[in-house]
Amino acid sequence: MKRVDVEIVAKETIKPTSSTDLPRTYTLSCLDQIAVDAYIPFVLFLPNNNTSRGGIITDDVVSKRSKLLKETLPAILSRFYPFVGKLKDNVVIEGNSEGGVFYVEARVKQTLEEFLCHPDDDKIRELLPEKPHINESWMGNNYAIGVQVNIFGCGGIGLSMVLSHKIIDFQTYMIFMKAWAAAVKGEPETISPSFVASDVFPSDPNLLLSHKPRKSSQLFSTKRFVFDSTVLAILKSQPVANNTSRGPTRMEATTALIWKAAAKASSEVKAFNQQSPYVMLSVVNIRKRSSPPLPENSIGNLFTPAVALCFPTSKPDLPTLIGELRDSIAKENSEKIESMKGENGLKMIKESFKHQMDAISETEYVMVTTSVLNMGIYDLDFGWGKPVWFYYINPSMTSRLLVLIDTPQGDVGVEAIVTLTSDEMEIFQCDTELLSYATLNPCPL
């Protein structure tokens, strides 16, 4: 049943400014080749602080903003030309004169404040464009990107996007959004993508490791937990097992706490044996970890997974889990990344991928965690004020996922979006240790 009254007012394909001048092909890196073939959805909520005398929202303000978003997009697509091509054989993106971005404008019959008063995952999903569907493949004639500009009754905007994970990771999304925001403000074209990924990590036409999201017959549930700066300071006072050089980061402390509570909930749903691990698979951005660092504006899937294990039967404490998490990520260092580069790196990547899949296949309990902390999401400015909220949607809803995001207040808090099976979530959301630090789904405003 629909939870939000959304009226679609326009649909079209937005094409690049000069499609005839675009390169004909773009070759994927091998890291793109093995990336999951699905779409990642994000929603950025932008305020309307521009009212006429008497506080009334003016239609011309809304129409001007909608027009600016639409009219500046073609020039951005010309610079990010692979985003409008066709993916072929999981190796190349072919230039496509018919290609573009699926673009929707919609009206939401609520104010932004009313919508965000009690946000939940199902309600936010209703702001996504109908194309491309989250679980579709980019192969063939599908779009790489779908955009829906949701304009609320107050003039605020929910800018939702679904983006193919075959070429777009979160930092790539941020590069794209910074370029778009700068164009809307009329700033010079200073943000351009770097296409070095396939040179550093060359593709292999025979690489058949691309995978779809794991399918499951279980029902899953997503909840949002918020840690403010005060409780985070207490949580970060935890020691780190086998590592006394520095205390835990925000990411380490919150991930370990959630990992512990999730493993405990899973063990109550179904008993673990002593050899059965709960796997935490962390997404590690390798741009800055590479030596020398890769260009900051490098597009593509420039990350590697770090695998950490815990055994719920041993009832691990927080210092142990923080230590395990830190050790797993530390292994994804410049030496490891160097071994992944060039033609010889393909063998290393295949072996690493196989090792990770083997570790995961040993258990049905795998949680993927991705942190977008300190990525500047709340610094994005289209000229109308900084975002009031950002939400990262679990694309598949058939897997355990933890996403860590900054809080909009800028107080170094953390928002954790957690997906577990419904049975696990019933127990997890009542975990007393978790709730001593986190608040369940408060209003983000």
Side-chain angles (χ1 to χ4, degrees):
M1 184 176 69
K2 290 272 186 190
R3 307 263 315 270
V4 185
D5 193 350
V6 180
E7 178 189 1
I8 305 299
V9 296
K11 300 179 189 178
E12 61 185 297
T13 297
I14 303 293
K15 298 177 181 294
T17 303
S18 53
S19 59
T20 56
D21 298 331
L22 301 182
R24 292 303 301 162
T25 61
Y26 174 82
T27 304
L28 297 183
S29 75
C30 58
L31 298 178
D32 293 324
Q33 286 185 284
I34 64 176
V36 63
D37 186 13
Y39 289 84
I40 332 168
F42 306 122
V43 188
L44 188 70
F45 293 92
L46 303 166
N48 180 20
N49 299 320
N50 190 333
T51 56
S52 65
R53 284 178 296 176
I56 304 301
I57 305 304
T58 54
D59 288 339
D60 63 311
V61 169
V62 172
S63 61
K64 182 180 179 182
R65 292 179 180 179
S66 174
K67 185 178 179 182
L68 276 170
L69 284 168
K70 181 178 172 180
E71 291 185 347
T72 53
L73 189 53
I76 303 303
L77 294 175
S78 293
R79 284 144 63 190
F80 290 79
Y81 68 89
F83 297 178
V84 297
K86 290 183 178 181
L87 182 62
K88 183 178 180 182
D89 300 329
N90 198 34
V91 177
V92 299
I93 301 169
E94 293 185 334
N96 178 16
S97 60
E98 298 301 314
V101 163
F102 182 71
Y103 191 89
V104 180
E105 186 176 312
R107 298 289 188 272
V108 183
K109 297 178 182 178
Q110 272 185 306
T111 66
L112 185 54
E113 184 175 359
E114 288 169 343
F115 183 87
L116 294 182
C117 187
H118 299 289
D120 66 57
D121 191 80
D122 290 337
K123 186 165 75 169
I124 297 165
R125 286 175 185 265
E126 293 186 27
L127 301 182
L128 297 179
E130 65 183 33
K131 297 178 185 178
H133 191 271
I134 289 172
N135 289 322
E136 289 179 338
S137 169
W138 184 20
M139 297 284 188
N141 296 317
N142 215 343
Y143 295 91
I145 298 176
V147 176
Q148 184 159 314
V149 180
N150 299 281
I151 301 175
F152 289 85
C154 59
I157 292 173
L159 184 55
S160 69
M161 300 179 72
V162 288
L163 309 103
S164 173
H165 210 336
K166 291 304 296 181
I167 192 173
I168 300 170
D169 66 359
F170 187 79
Q171 185 152 329
T172 303
Y173 164 79
M174 285 296 298
I175 298 162
F176 184 86
M177 293 296 280
K178 287 176 183 177
W180 195 5
V184 169
K185 288 191 291 185
E187 295 178 350
E189 296 181 3
T190 57
I191 301 169
S192 294
S194 172
F195 301 108
V196 302
S198 59
D199 295 328
V200 180
F201 305 102
S203 62
D204 178 356
N206 299 314
L207 190 60
L208 301 175
L209 295 175
S210 179
H211 60 288
K212 297 291 256 178
R214 293 178 68 175
K215 292 186 177 181
S216 174
S217 58
Q218 295 176 294
L219 295 176
F220 283 74
S221 173
T222 297
K223 303 282 185 180
R224 170 176 158 265
F225 299 82
V226 178
F227 301 78
D228 67 29
S229 56
T230 303
V231 297
L232 267 180
I234 299 169
L235 186 58
K236 287 170 63 181
S237 66
Q238 296 282 338
V240 182
N242 304 320
N243 192 327
T244 58
S245 60
R246 58 180 173 84
T249 64
R250 288 190 295 164
M251 179 271 182
E252 291 171 337
T254 50
T255 300
L257 178 67
I258 290 166
W259 189 13
K260 180 182 178 184
K264 180 181 175 184
S266 295
S267 66
E268 292 185 26
V269 171
K270 181 180 178 181
F272 284 71
N273 62 48
Q274 291 186 342
Q275 288 77 39
S276 181
Y278 195 112
V279 176
M280 180 61 78
L281 195 154
S282 302
V283 174
V284 181
N285 188 337
I286 63 175
R287 290 170 177 84
K288 291 183 179 179
R289 289 174 175 260
S290 180
S291 183
L294 298 172
E296 184 179 354
N297 286 350
S298 302
I299 70 162
N301 288 290
L302 291 165
F303 65 85
T304 186
V307 178
L309 309 177
C310 83
F311 295 87
T313 54
S314 67
K315 294 182 170 52
D317 58 16
L318 281 179
T320 298
L321 293 177
I322 294 169
E324 290 291 334
L325 186 66
R326 179 176 292 182
D327 288 347
S328 72
I329 294 173
K331 293 174 184 176
E332 309 306 317
N333 54 27
S334 59
E335 183 178 349
K336 165 79 174 293
I337 296 165
E338 189 64 28
S339 71
M340 296 163 56
K341 294 179 180 178
E343 297 293 339
N344 294 331
L346 279 171
K347 181 180 179 182
M348 170 66 186
I349 290 172
K350 290 177 183 178
E351 289 176 353
S352 178
F353 187 90
K354 185 177 184 303
H355 169 72
Q356 291 154 1
M357 292 301 103
D358 288 345
I360 290 170
S361 66
E362 292 176 4
T363 178
E364 60 181 290
Y365 296 98
V366 180
M367 176 177 278
V368 176
T369 180
T370 184
S371 169
V372 299
L373 298 171
N374 305 314
M375 295 284 281
I377 190 70
Y378 287 108
D379 293 328
L380 283 173
D381 189 350
F382 288 78
W384 315 318
K386 293 184 177 180
V388 293
W389 197 44
F390 172 77
Y391 192 74
Y392 185 130
I393 296 173
N394 182 347
S396 71
M397 276 307 291
T398 57
S399 58
R400 298 172 183 85
L401 179 68
L402 165 62
V403 180
L404 301 179
I405 308 170
D406 293 299
T407 49
Q409 290 77 20
D411 62 354
V412 295
V414 171
E415 294 201 356
I417 301 171
V418 184
T419 301
L420 298 170
T421 69
S422 298
D423 289 346
E424 292 165 349
M425 184 60 78
E426 285 295 320
I427 300 168
F428 176 86
Q429 67 183 354
C430 299
D431 186 280
T432 54
E433 183 178 26
L434 172 68
L435 295 179
S436 69
Y437 294 104
T439 304
L440 175 60
N441 202 36
C443 174
L445 300 178

